[in-house]
Amino acid sequence: MTTRFITALDGVRIAYDLSGSGPLLLLLHSLPGQRASWHTYGYVEALSDTFTVALVDIRGFGESDAPDDPDAYNEERVLADMLAVADACGAERFFVWGHSYGATIARQIATKTDRVIRAVMAGGHFGAVFTEERVTPMLAELDPLVEAQREVRATGDLAALDALDVPPEEREDALAYPAASVAATLRALTQWEPVQPEQLRAPTLAYTGTRDERALVQLEAQRAALDAAHVQLVVFDGLDHGELISQRETVQPVVRRFLMGPQ
């Protein structure tokens, strides 16, 4: 896997890698996450016979730059990153498949440009997703970790983690967790524009699982709007939020059939 980079207009470097040949397919990870997960679960091997598969580290994660300012993660900048990757790949039009946070990006970009051929949302829904009500308690847990990480890195003193009751065996993971990027992204996401199915400019598949409760409840409530906008909805029996990607052998054939539909 050779890492490539594009540099956004604000100077942030975005990492991605390419495999296969054919029309471009962007694969976008969850929050937190990184592009390597798509490799781990076997998607590159499964799709690169048909598509040029571009795995992207969304700004703040993986090998991409990680600014601390929430404004760096606003909707316009994140969507511009995706278009810049497509440009670097020489693709005027492309497919996009996102999981969770990646599904939010896929949804937004499919409403903002005619360059998307088909979009796939795994574990995402329409309307307001990252509301203040949802994000505030998440930030209440994240912000102390952000400060503790900064103190440990500045002083080398692990006492800041002890103050958070992090067990010794979990210190390494706590220091490695991209808390600042997650917090900045969440703050920005509360300001992203809510969109509805009728705003989509590309055929879209939304899928979830019977154990992915948040997305399932929202998508079922939006079913009439999905039908009116011709958004395909698939619910996989027994899958939770993470399994919407990890269970590749279950979901990938369904998504492939959708992606290969009439253009």
Side-chain angles (χ1 to χ4, degrees):
M1 179 181 69
T2 300
T3 303
R4 306 174 184 225
F5 293 92
I6 59 99
T7 301
L9 292 177
D10 61 355
V12 173
R13 292 201 317 159
I14 305 300
Y16 67 102
D17 63 75
L18 289 178
S19 300
S21 61
L24 182 66
L25 169 61
L26 301 183
L27 297 182
L28 308 179
H29 60 77
S30 60
L31 175 71
Q34 50 188 297
R35 73 185 199 275
S37 61
W38 297 94
H39 283 288
T40 300
Y41 296 131
Y43 284 91
V44 173
E45 294 82 355
L47 296 168
S48 59
D49 61 334
T50 305
F51 300 96
T52 298
V53 182
L55 277 59
V56 183
D57 278 332
I58 303 166
R59 57 170 57 208
F61 304 97
E63 295 183 85
S64 292
D65 289 347
D68 289 341
D69 184 0
D71 189 53
Y73 300 88
N74 69 35
E75 181 178 353
E76 292 75 15
R77 295 185 182 190
V78 173
L79 299 191
D81 293 343
M82 304 306 134
L83 296 179
V85 170
D87 290 343
C89 297
E92 176 58 32
R93 304 191 72 217
F94 55 90
F95 297 86
V96 59
W97 179 357
H99 175 225
S100 195
Y101 173 40
T104 295
I105 297 172
R107 176 197 71 181
Q108 300 296 105
I109 202 168
T111 68
K112 303 293 185 181
T113 176
D114 292 323
R115 295 179 63 179
V116 176
I117 302 169
R118 288 186 169 231
V120 179
M121 300 167 46
H125 60 83
F126 293 86
V129 178
F130 293 92
T131 62
E132 293 279 0
E133 181 181 20
R134 180 184 178 191
V135 166
T136 297
M138 298 166 72
L139 291 174
E141 294 186 5
L142 275 171
D143 286 342
L145 178 57
V146 172
E147 293 306 315
Q149 288 177 338
R150 288 174 178 160
E151 184 172 341
V152 171
R153 289 164 187 159
T155 67
D157 185 354
L158 296 176
L161 290 178
D162 294 337
L164 296 179
D165 295 324
V166 177
E169 66 273 15
E170 296 179 13
R171 285 175 176 173
E172 185 175 348
D173 288 341
L175 287 174
Y177 185 81
S181 297
V182 174
T185 299
L186 288 171
R187 286 186 165 89
L189 280 166
T190 62
Q191 304 302 312
W192 282 34
E193 176 187 354
V195 299
Q196 302 300 334
E198 61 268 21
Q199 295 176 258
L200 290 164
R201 296 160 70 171
T204 299
L205 166 68
Y207 75 87
T208 185
T210 54
R211 294 172 57 217
D212 183 21
E213 294 182 5
R214 177 182 295 276
L216 180 62
V217 168
Q218 294 293 330
L219 288 169
E220 289 289 2
Q222 295 164 352
R223 186 178 285 274
L226 298 178
D227 291 343
H230 306 291
V231 175
Q232 294 187 34
L233 174 61
V234 175
V235 180
F236 290 99
D237 186 47
L239 296 193
D240 63 24
H241 194 68
E243 290 170 338
L244 298 177
I245 293 298
S246 67
Q247 297 301 305
R248 181 190 58 80
E249 292 184 357
T250 298
V251 304
Q252 183 264 331
V254 174
V255 175
R256 176 187 276 273
R257 284 194 294 271
F258 170 77
L259 294 174
M260 298 300 294
Q263 308 303 313

